[in-house]
């Protein structure tokens, strides 16, 4: 017993690494197995390994430290150091994010990667500094699809009046209004609201229907792929500025590597997800009338949410 006490005491006194490790608090609203958690866990593994334990990550998942909006507020203040956050809730913090949340702006994964990993993505990440964030990179939620429990949806006509939960995002609200639905903004999670019929449907990437077992409570899914939904992987700018350049570099690189890992992982699993959701009894419309959906949202570029000159200019550049 005495021997054990001496070992523990000497570890405490002499092991600089174990006891002076920097702890990064990282917030996500989703549960283990979700896209956001896969990036976060990979980042934790890489940074702890590369820093030889000097940097450690504590992941706060399942909304344990609040909604995405609340996590972003804590990141701004420096109380939470990092987050993996869906594009949607970001648009109240910086309207430039609305450019990448624009419906049907990305046609496929390759185009999304090319743009988000290129100068345009850098411009968006840089812009976040004016609202207190250090934008590190983009991982992915994926292309969003509609589910509901009332009716099969092939055209926008079928959506009329459906009560669809949307993220806390003015733009997402406008998209669903334009499509003819009755959008209801609500933070994550939403299983109970779907189960109790408070809302008829929701829209999210395929992994969500699998991990959150929406097949138990949503009969119909339409592969609308209406918005490509990135996660923005961010740090608190206030905290970032206190780090040494070599720490910044290691964190930036580890998060980027984690993001690339997670995007591949997500895409590889998508084909099996459709199969699984069908087996679980979901009725899937794989060929909706996308041109008709697109036509409904064509004029969104003219709404007030895109009025700010830098936002308007970037959107037009991307639509070009
Ligand atoms: O719909 C949302 O709120 C998001 O897509 C989710 C499920 C939290 C994942 O990022």
């Amino acid at each position: 017993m005495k021997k054990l006490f001496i070992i523990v005491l000497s570890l405490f006194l002499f092991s600089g690494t174990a006891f002076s490790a920097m702890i990064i608090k990282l917030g996500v609203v989703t549960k283990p197995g979700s896209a956001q958690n896969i990036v976060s866990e990979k980042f934790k593994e890489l940074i702890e390994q590369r820093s030889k334990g000097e940097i450690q990550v504590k992941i706060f998942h399942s909304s344990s430290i609040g909604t995405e909006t609340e996590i972003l507020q804590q990141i701004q203040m420096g109380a939470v150091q990092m987050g993996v956050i869906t594009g949607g809730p970001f648009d109240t913090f910086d309207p430039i994010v609305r450019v990448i949340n624009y419906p049907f702006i990305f046609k496929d994964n390759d185009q999304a990667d090319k743009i988000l990993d290129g100068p345009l993505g850098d411009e968006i990440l840089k812009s976040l500094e004016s609202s207190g964030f250090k934008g590190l990179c983009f991982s992915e939620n994926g292309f969003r699809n509609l589910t509901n429990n009332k009716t099969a949806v092939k055209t926008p006509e079928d959506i009329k009046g459906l009560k669809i939960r949307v993220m806390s995002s003015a733009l997402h609200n406008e998209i669903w209004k334009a499509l003819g639905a009755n959008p209801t903004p609500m933070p994550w999670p939403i299983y109970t609201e779907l189960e109790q019929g408070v809302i008829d449907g929701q829209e999210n990437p395929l992994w969500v229907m699998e991990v959150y077992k929406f097949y138990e409570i949503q009969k119909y899914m339409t592969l609308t792929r209406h918005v490509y939904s990135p996660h923005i992987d961010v740090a608190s700018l206030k905290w970032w500025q206190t780090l040494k350049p070599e720490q910044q570099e290691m964190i930036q690189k580890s998060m980027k590597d984690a993001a690339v890992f997670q995007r591949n992982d997500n895409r590889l699993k998508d084909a099996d997800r459709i199969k699984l959701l069908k087996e679980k009894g979901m009725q899937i419309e794989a060929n909706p009338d996308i041109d008709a959906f697109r036509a409904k949202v064509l004029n969104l570029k003219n709404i007030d949410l895109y009025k700010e000159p830098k936002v308007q200019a970037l959107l037009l550049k991307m639509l070009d």
Side-chain angles (χ1 to χ4, degrees), residues 35 40 49 58 74 80 93 104 130 163 200 219 262 270:
S40 308
Q49 197 183 71
K58 180 149 177 47
Q74 294 172 78
V80 170
F93 293 83
F104 302 108
S130 57
K163 213 166 171 194
D200 302 318
K219 177 81 190 146
Q262 181 269 333
D270 263 357

Side-chain angles (χ1 to χ4, degrees), residues 75-280:
I75 292 176
Q76 276 180 318
M77 292 184 302
V80 170
Q81 288 75 44
M82 292 178 68
V84 174
I85 309 289
T86 323
F90 248 111
D91 73 13
T92 37
F93 293 83
D94 188 338
I96 203 154
V97 176
R98 289 178 193 142
V99 174
I100 47 174
N101 284 340
Y102 196 79
F104 302 108
I105 202 150
F106 295 112
K107 68 173 190 310
D108 55 28
N109 293 328
D110 286 348
Q111 193 196 21
D113 289 350
K114 204 166 150 208
I115 289 178
L116 295 176
D117 292 340
L120 213 133
D122 287 346
E123 195 174 331
I124 290 169
L125 294 174
K126 182 85 193 139
S127 165
L128 299 179
E129 289 185 14
S130 57
S131 30
F133 302 105
K134 168 69 191 168
L136 298 172
C137 56
F138 300 95
S139 49
E140 81 168 16
N141 208 355
F143 280 94
R144 303 182 79 89
N145 298 297
L146 174 70
T147 70
N148 85 95
N149 210 21
K150 283 260 152 90
T151 181
V153 172
K154 190 166 174 79
T155 75
E157 289 307 301
D158 304 321
I159 287 176
K160 267 204 183 114
L162 282 183
K163 213 166 171 194
I164 302 296
R165 174 269 177 177
V166 294
M167 290 184 285
S168 311
S169 151
L171 174 61
H172 279 260
N173 207 47
E174 289 304 318
I175 294 173
W176 287 92
K177 257 203 247 164
L179 288 173
N182 180 4
T184 310
M186 221 175 248
W188 196 255
I190 56 170
Y191 187 98
T192 312
E193 289 76 3
L194 287 169
E195 190 180 28
Q196 294 176 348
V198 178
I199 40 180
D200 302 318
Q202 60 90 45
E203 42 81 56
N204 251 305
L206 293 175
W207 69 262
V208 173
M209 322 320 171
E210 180 195 356
V211 175
Y212 281 90
K213 299 192 171 152
F214 281 1
Y215 50 79
E216 294 176 346
I217 44 165
Q218 295 277 273
K219 177 81 190 146
Y220 306 99
M221 176 160 76
T222 307
L223 302 184
T224 43
R225 294 170 61 86
H226 50 279
V227 166
Y228 175 75
S229 182
H231 301 140
I232 308 184
D233 306 328
V234 284
S236 161
L237 187 61
K238 216 172 169 176
W239 168 72
W240 188 258
Q241 286 163 343
T242 66
L243 300 179
K244 295 182 196 137
E246 58 273 22
Q247 291 173 320
Q248 292 180 341
E249 200 181 311
M250 199 186 284
I251 292 171
Q252 173 94 53
K253 168 117 182 54
S254 300
M255 191 43 118
K256 186 66 207 274
D257 291 347
V260 171
F261 167 87
Q262 181 269 333
R263 291 193 307 219
N264 290 336
D265 175 78
N266 193 34
R267 292 165 192 178
L268 277 173
K269 289 174 180 162
D270 263 357
D272 284 346
R273 285 180 179 135
I274 304 246
K275 222 170 106 208
L276 175 105
L277 296 172
K278 275 187 186 158
E279 279 164 17
K280 293 283 183 190

Side-chain angles (χ1 to χ4, degrees), residues 8 18-19 74 83 87 142 167 169 180 283 315 317:
V8 172
F19 292 95
Q74 294 172 78
M167 290 184 285
S169 151
Q283 195 173 305
L315 179 66
K317 199 158 125 190

